[in-house]
């Protein structure tokens, strides 16, 4: 996922000396800093990297608890109305961590790849630390982890983070490479068929965690394309994966595709400056070329501007190799699980009926 390892030992002294570390000198003590990471947005992409990096410096990393209706409701109450549900969940998780940790880490993802043209992430990901800073004035300023690969390599954000915490820069290569290995292990679990929440459970709770049922074979195969924070949070997606599995479908998630799978699709796709949305477009293209996939669900959150464009591109520009059916599912904080269950069950039943009819007619119709 665009983590660049080269050059970690150079340019360290060029980090701005104006970075204020005084706020953390008095609270560290002998126990190590308690750093909270909200279980929202980029948690489902980069938590293993951030956790391993910070723990290598003796920090105590505390994620917020899994999303529940209370967290979702609290975030909805605090946040402005016209943002997507994923941002409202972030606000709820920050509120959960308030006064329980010494600092709350909020990634600022400006650009996550370097290309021949400008690339960006969602405006809300770019502005996430600012939104938290001004919405929670009673809290200390959030601890930022800034990624702007268009202008600086990935490890530069690690250097700035270390300086912000007043930790030694000498020997930073070892914590960095430890974090890279943990991130690679996590991504390997995703490639094996696990969705983000289940991969994280297996990483930190051991191999005793039972293998999810959705990996098993089903009489129909449904691909679900969406951001990791939508696929990984059952409160936000209203247990969509569970209801597809309960209906007898095998589920494939867009997070299961490798970077090579996505890059293979890019020559046939229009260029997009939104990196994560281009990733979803490539994932949709990959699944729609697979004849073993019976249907695809494009999962998005209401109010997501970039996704609204990509959804139209998937519908208008991509041509399925077989007769896959596309269903768009838009979620917000008012979505009901019963409605998602009904749509999931009806979708699987329809795919099963189509498959049976094609079998009875020799593949025609």
């Amino acid at each position: 996922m665009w983590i660049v390892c080269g050059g970690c030992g150079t340019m360290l002294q060029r980090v701005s000396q104006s970075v204020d570390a005084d706020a953390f000198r008095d609270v560290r003590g002998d126990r190590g800093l308690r750093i909270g990471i909200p279980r929202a947005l980029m948690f489902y992409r980069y938590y293993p990297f951030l956790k391993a990096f910070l723990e290598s410096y003796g920090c105590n990393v505390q994620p917020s608890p899994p999303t529940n209706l209370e967290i979702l409701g609290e975030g909805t109450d605090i946040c402005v109305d016209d943002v997507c549900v994923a941002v409202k969940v972030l606000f709820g998780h920050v509120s959960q961590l308030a006064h329980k940790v010494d600092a709350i880490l909020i990634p600022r993802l400006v650009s996550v790849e370097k290309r021949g043209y400008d690339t960006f992430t969602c405006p809300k990901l770019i502005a996430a630390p600012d939104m938290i800073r001004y919405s929670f004035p009673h809290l200390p300023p959030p601890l930022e982890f800034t990624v702007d690969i268009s202008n600086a390599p990935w490890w530069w954000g690690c250097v700035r983070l270390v300086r912000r915490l007043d930790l030694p820069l000498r020997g930073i290569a070892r914590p960095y490479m430890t974090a890279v290995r943990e991130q690679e292990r996590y991504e390997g679990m995703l490639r094996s068929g696990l969705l983000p929440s289940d991969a994280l459970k297996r990483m930190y709770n051991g191999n005793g965690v039972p293998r999810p049922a959705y990996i098993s074979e089903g009489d129909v195969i449904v691909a679900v394309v969406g951001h990791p924070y939508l696929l990984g949070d059952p409160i936000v997606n209203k247990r969509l994966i569970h209801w597809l599995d309960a209906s007898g479908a095998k589920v494939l998630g867009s997070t299961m595709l490798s970077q090579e799978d996505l890059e293979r699709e890019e020559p046939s796709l229009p260029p997009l400056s939104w990196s994560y949305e281009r990733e979803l477009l490539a994932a949709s293209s990959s699944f729609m070329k697979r004849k073993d996939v019976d249907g695809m669900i494009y999962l998005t959150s209401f109010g997501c501007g970039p996704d609204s464009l990509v959804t139209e591109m998937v519908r208008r520009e991509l041509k399925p190799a077989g007769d896959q059916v596309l269903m768009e599912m838009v979620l917000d904080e008012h979505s009901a699980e019963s409605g998602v269950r009904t749509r999931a069950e009806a979708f699987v039943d329809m795919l099963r009926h189509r498959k049976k009819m094609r079998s009875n007619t020799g593949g025609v119709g």
Side-chain angles (χ1 to χ4, degrees):
M1 290 185 176
W2 301 305
I3 294 181
V4 182
C5 303
C8 188
T10 64
M11 295 176 66
L12 298 187
Q13 298 306 316
R14 291 179 55 189
V15 180
S16 172
Q17 298 300 314
S18 63
V19 176
D20 177 20
D22 292 341
F24 301 106
R25 288 173 180 158
D26 297 332
V27 298
R28 184 179 298 120
D30 297 327
R31 57 171 168 74
L33 281 170
R34 297 172 301 169
I35 298 180
I37 301 183
R39 196 182 294 260
L41 293 179
M42 291 299 101
F43 178 93
Y44 295 99
R45 277 189 185 269
Y46 301 127
Y47 176 70
F49 178 90
L50 294 170
K51 174 179 169 66
F53 183 76
L54 291 168
E55 287 184 343
S56 295
Y57 274 100
C59 297
N60 179 7
V61 177
Q62 299 182 19
S64 57
T67 308
N68 54 39
L69 293 178
E70 178 185 351
I71 291 175
L72 174 59
E74 189 169 7
T76 301
D77 292 340
I78 298 171
C79 193
V80 296
D81 293 333
D82 56 346
V83 296
C84 67
V85 63
V87 174
K88 295 173 182 176
V89 168
L90 170 66
F91 275 63
H93 281 282
V94 170
S95 182
Q96 285 286 313
L97 290 169
H99 310 300
K100 298 177 182 177
V101 293
D102 301 316
I104 298 176
L105 188 146
I106 307 291
R108 185 192 296 276
L109 299 178
V110 182
S111 170
V112 293
E113 59 179 339
K114 194 174 184 67
R115 289 180 173 262
Y117 53 88
D118 290 339
T119 60
F120 306 98
T121 69
C122 166
K124 305 301 188 300
L125 297 179
I126 298 173
D130 301 315
M131 291 191 293
I132 297 302
R133 179 180 294 109
Y134 293 110
S135 298
F136 294 86
H138 58 289
L139 295 181
L143 183 64
E144 292 187 23
F145 176 69
T146 302
V147 176
D148 188 4
I149 291 181
S150 289
N151 297 301
W154 175 277
W155 56 262
W156 191 250
C158 298
V159 172
R160 292 179 59 85
L161 181 61
V162 168
R163 287 302 299 258
R164 179 74 174 91
L165 294 172
D166 193 33
L167 296 170
L169 283 174
R170 184 179 297 275
I172 191 176
R174 180 172 294 179
Y176 181 84
M177 294 310 301
T178 298
V180 168
R181 286 192 292 270
E182 277 296 279
Q183 183 70 22
E184 290 174 345
R185 187 163 75 95
Y186 173 58
E187 293 180 4
M189 290 184 177
L190 295 179
R191 300 295 92 79
S192 73
L194 295 175
L195 290 171
S197 55
D198 294 307
L200 290 170
K201 286 178 185 177
R202 181 156 295 198
M203 281 193 73
Y204 301 118
N205 297 330
N207 292 326
V209 176
R211 190 170 176 83
Y214 58 76
I215 297 179
S216 61
E217 294 295 328
D219 58 343
V220 296
I221 298 179
V222 177
V224 183
V225 175
H227 293 290
Y229 51 78
L230 296 180
L231 295 180
D233 194 327
I235 294 296
V236 175
N237 65 41
K238 309 303 176 186
R239 298 208 297 161
L240 169 65
I241 308 302
H242 166 77
W243 295 121
L244 290 171
D245 170 62
S247 300
K250 179 179 179 178
V251 181
L252 304 177
S254 53
T255 53
M256 301 174 186
L257 298 176
S258 68
Q259 197 64 35
E260 291 73 22
D261 293 329
L262 302 178
E263 291 173 354
R264 197 177 301 123
E265 303 300 320
E266 289 194 0
S268 61
L269 302 176
L272 277 177
S273 289
W274 292 311
S275 297
Y276 292 138
E277 277 62 37
R278 189 178 62 255
E279 183 180 279
L280 297 183
L281 183 62
S284 300
S285 177
S286 178
F287 283 135
M288 292 181 77
K289 290 179 179 177
R290 291 178 53 169
K291 294 186 177 180
D292 62 327
V293 174
D294 299 296
M296 187 177 81
I297 298 175
Y298 193 99
L299 193 63
T300 184
S301 54
F302 181 78
C304 180
D307 264 7
S308 65
L309 174 63
V310 175
T311 304
E312 288 300 313
M313 296 176 71
V314 170
R315 184 183 295 117
R316 298 169 185 264
E317 303 292 336
L318 301 185
K319 305 299 180 185
D323 64 341
Q324 294 103 326
V325 180
L326 171 66
M327 179 173 73
E328 179 187 0
M329 185 172 290
V330 183
L331 301 171
D332 66 10
E333 64 273 20
H334 304 297
S335 299
E337 184 174 325
S338 58
V340 170
R341 175 182 182 179
T342 299
R343 293 189 69 187
E345 292 174 345
F347 189 64
V348 173
D349 286 345
M350 182 266 293
L351 295 178
R352 187 175 289 122
H353 178 71
R354 282 168 57 90
K355 199 169 186 176
K356 181 178 179 181
M357 292 297 293
R358 287 181 61 84
S359 176
N360 291 340
T361 58
V364 179

